[in-house]
């Protein structure tokens, strides 16, 4: 087998957070990491020994084609050990309020872009008996209120990963899913900013219907993130999923993710509804807690 310093690993969404931490951890382990970023400023900040930033917007076919050429024409002839599909966005709003362009954009980034990257690099992974690592979420198992679009794309990512794993296993290519829970990353902060923008743009009727819920979700997401793992701790788990000799089919990140994943398998829908409502209820503005009860 080739050693780590003779292998490439491609990771998308590496500008900040878990992606950047994973790129640095893989480089520390000796791999040459092609770290996908969308802006040159992010590339300059990320560049270090073993980390080669590449401009890669996974919704742009030309940039996906460019990275496949970079892999095929690697100056050292190094094989592609793994692709880590990590890029993502979070736009939270009730199903009724989220516009159709926003729905489509979230699926383009959180699902279809990953499929496009995976399809493009699969020939290289077939040649190296490599690995696909898909970064899902606890939202791929449990859909909280206002997470319809985000969780919908992650549920689909889970299903696609299962199908892909069963298709590729006979051909020596492994597929692994990683399901983070609370992790302290910039993406959560950007998601909270977007939710505040949604609240500000609501009509009086919409605010009466969903204002309390959105305020509760913002408060819950803030607390959830503060108590979560560091990006560096998450990066170590993702790096292990990408490089372990005998990887599991799924890894969770954080005790919250492990617990909710188990509960989603054993509780009825109604019991899970009540559990999630109870968890969210303390975050509602005063006087609105009663409306948070799931019936």
């Amino acid at each position: 087998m080739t050693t780590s310093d003779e292998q490439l690993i491609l990771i998308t969404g590496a500008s900040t957070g878990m992606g950047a931490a994973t790129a640095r951890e893989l480089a520390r382990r000796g791999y040459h990491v092609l770290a996908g970023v969308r802006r040159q400023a992010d590339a300059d900040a990320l560049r270090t020994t073993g980390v080669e930033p590449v401009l890669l917007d996974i919704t742009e076919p030309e940039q996906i084609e460019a990275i496949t050429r970079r892999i095929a024409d690697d100056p050292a002839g190094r094989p592609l050990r793994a692709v880590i599909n990590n890029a993502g966005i979070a736009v939270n709003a009730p199903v009724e309020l989220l516009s159709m362009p926003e729905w489509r954009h979230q699926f383009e980034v959180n699902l279809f872009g990953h499929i496009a990257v995976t399809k493009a690099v699969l020939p290289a992974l077939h040649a190296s008996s490599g690995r696909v690592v898909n970064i899902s979420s606890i939202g791929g198992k449990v859909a909280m209120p206002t997470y319809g679009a985000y969780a919908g794309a992650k549920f689909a990512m889970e299903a696609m990963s299962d199908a892909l794993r069963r298709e590729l296993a006979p051909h020596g290519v492994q597929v692994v899913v990683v399901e983070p829970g609370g992790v302290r990353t910039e993406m959560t902060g950007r998601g909270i900013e977007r939710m505040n923008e949604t609240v500000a743009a609501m009509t009086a009727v919409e605010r009466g219907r969903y204002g309390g819920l959105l305020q509760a979700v913002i408060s819950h997401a803030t607390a959830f993130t503060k108590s979560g793992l560091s990006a560096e701790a998450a990066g170590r788990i993702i790096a292990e999923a990408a490089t372990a000799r005998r990887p599991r089919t799924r890894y969770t990140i954080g005790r919250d993710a492990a617990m909710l994943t188990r509960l989603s398998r054993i509780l009825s829908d109604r019991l899970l509804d009540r559990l999630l409502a109870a968890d969210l209820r303390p975050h509602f503005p005063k006087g609105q807690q009663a409306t948070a009860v799931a019936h």
Side-chain angles (χ1 to χ4, degrees), residues 14-181:
S15 298
T16 59
M18 291 192 305
T22 302
R24 290 190 293 265
E25 174 63 21
L26 288 166
R28 188 188 67 78
R29 298 185 184 201
Y31 294 91
H32 187 84
V33 183
L34 301 175
V37 300
R38 293 195 305 122
R39 293 177 293 269
Q40 187 60 49
D42 294 328
D44 296 338
L46 186 62
R47 191 181 309 276
T48 188
T49 302
V51 177
E52 177 187 336
V54 292
L55 292 178
L56 178 58
D57 181 334
I58 65 172
T59 67
E60 294 292 337
E62 297 82 3
Q63 294 190 16
I64 295 175
E65 183 179 350
I67 194 62
T68 60
R69 289 197 303 269
R70 165 63 186 85
I71 292 167
D73 298 335
D74 182 65
R78 292 167 292 200
L80 182 64
R81 176 72 182 84
V83 59
I84 303 174
N85 289 309
N86 172 71
I89 59 171
V91 182
N92 290 73
V95 172
E96 185 176 0
L97 300 189
L98 194 64
S99 71
M100 290 310 300
E102 289 171 314
W103 272 91
R104 293 188 177 99
H105 182 58
Q106 198 145 191
F107 270 74
E108 285 292 339
V109 176
N110 290 348
L111 178 65
F112 299 132
H114 297 310
I115 295 172
V117 170
T118 301
K119 286 168 63 69
V121 301
L122 266 175
L125 293 174
H126 279 297
S128 65
S129 296
R131 187 172 304 172
V132 178
V133 180
N134 288 330
I135 309 303
S136 179
S137 166
I138 186 55
K141 295 293 188 183
V142 178
M144 290 278 289
T146 77
Y147 284 78
Y150 178 81
K154 293 298 186 180
F155 267 69
M157 171 73 93
E158 297 267 352
M160 182 274 289
S161 299
D162 285 341
L164 188 66
R165 185 182 68 252
R166 292 157 185 159
E167 292 163 2
L168 296 180
H171 308 290
V173 178
Q174 298 169 316
V175 178
V176 178
V177 174
V178 179
E179 298 160 342

Side-chain angles (χ1 to χ4, degrees), residues 263 266-278 294-295:
L263 289 175
I266 62 176
L267 295 183
S268 70
D269 288 345
R270 296 298 185 192
L271 281 174
L272 190 58
D273 287 351
R274 293 190 181 100
L275 176 69
L276 296 177
H295 297 287

